[in-house]
Amino acid sequence: MGVKRRDPRTKAGLRTGLARTTAAALVVVGVLTGCGGQGPDDRAGTADDAGKPTGEGGQGRSPGPGPDRNPTDQPSRPSLPQARKPVLHVKAAYTYTVRILDATLTTAVPGDSPPPAGTRAVALLLRVEAQPPDRDIKAPYGNLAITYPSLNADKDARIGGVMDGATPYMTEDQMLFGEGVQGVDPMFGVLEANTVYYQLAWQIVSEKADLTGASLCRAEVNGDNCIPIGPIKTSP
């Protein structure tokens, strides 16, 4: 499947509106989870917790005392959802892996370009790492695209079939706790070796899009290099 690429954006344009903390961006689409007892080296919460409503052990869990909680316990450390399988292997000018942690259908995305009328955004929380990990890389979000059954029929001036925006790349601690951290530019920045990065990237889709079996693909190839997105929750 050929994917039409949009005109590259300028570095300044990509930065506009994205200086806000990525933690705030994740709250917007309901990604952050609280998992008690996790230390600073824990990479994710449990898959069962991701996307659960308040009071079911997932998002919005209260840190206050309960039947199974000691009043002296510290509040739960926020964490990212567990990475899904399989892994997307991108082999281009730079080689790296991409894993999906969370997928949300939403009308609220970071920055100053919300989805136009009649559309929504599929926002993916991604984990990106160089392959092999001991090399610096560039991993622009424009290398990725979401495909789904109604894509070709839905394409118009608003829906191009490629990622429309992304937050800067950040480490896990930067993403969760880095108030004011600018991160690495999502289109032009260099990701350092031996470091795992995370970002929120999104693609505009029709509000009537058929997302059954939606996949994340490398945009430059014919659709053979794809992984299933899995469950997509809905957020305002």
Side-chain angles (χ1 to χ4, degrees):
M1 178 194 68
V3 178
K4 183 177 179 181
R5 303 298 303 278
R6 294 181 179 179
D7 292 337
R9 306 180 189 185
T10 64
K11 183 171 182 179
L14 285 169
R15 288 289 187 182
T16 302
L18 295 181
R20 59 182 295 184
T21 66
T22 305
L26 298 184
V27 170
V28 167
V29 296
V31 170
L32 288 184
T33 62
C35 297
Q38 289 202 285
D41 293 329
D42 291 324
R43 278 291 172 196
T46 63
D48 290 339
D49 281 352
K52 284 188 178 180
T54 300
E56 290 187 21
Q59 299 169 11
R61 176 189 289 181
S62 170
D68 58 348
R69 182 181 293 275
N70 189 315
T72 62
D73 286 351
Q74 294 298 314
S76 298
R77 180 187 189 273
S79 63
L80 300 177
Q82 186 176 23
R84 301 176 182 180
K85 295 180 180 179
V87 179
L88 179 64
H89 295 269
V90 178
K91 296 181 179 180
Y94 301 92
T95 57
Y96 52 95
T97 60
V98 180
R99 296 183 68 178
I100 300 168
L101 281 72
D102 187 88
T104 305
L105 186 63
T106 181
T107 58
V109 296
D112 56 1
S113 297
T119 70
R120 291 187 286 184
V122 176
L124 303 180
L125 179 59
L126 303 176
R127 178 190 190 276
V128 179
E129 184 178 17
Q131 187 64 38
D134 59 351
R135 296 183 62 122
D136 291 352
I137 61 167
K138 288 188 175 183
Y141 70 89
N143 283 351
L144 303 175
I146 297 171
T147 63
Y148 48 94
S150 65
L151 174 59
N152 289 333
D154 293 344
K155 282 184 178 179
D156 58 21
R158 307 163 302 167
I159 300 168
V162 293
M163 290 293 185
D164 289 279
T167 60
Y169 287 101
M170 293 187 181
T171 66
E172 182 178 13
D173 281 348
Q174 287 175 335
M175 179 165 283
L176 295 174
F177 309 111
E179 184 70 32
V181 173
Q182 191 173 29
V184 178
D185 189 283
M187 198 70 181
F188 303 99
V190 175
L191 306 186
E192 294 183 359
N194 300 309
T195 306
V196 175
Y197 288 91
Y198 298 85
Q199 75 169 168
L200 190 71
W202 58 92
Q203 182 171 314
I204 302 299
V205 302
S206 168
E207 63 182 8
K208 298 180 180 179
D210 178 7
L211 298 175
T212 305
S215 299
L216 178 66
C217 304
R218 181 186 163 201
E220 289 84 354
V221 295
N222 59 6
D224 293 335
N225 190 13
C226 300
I227 59 172
I229 290 175
I232 302 175
K233 67 178 183 287
T234 300
S235 177

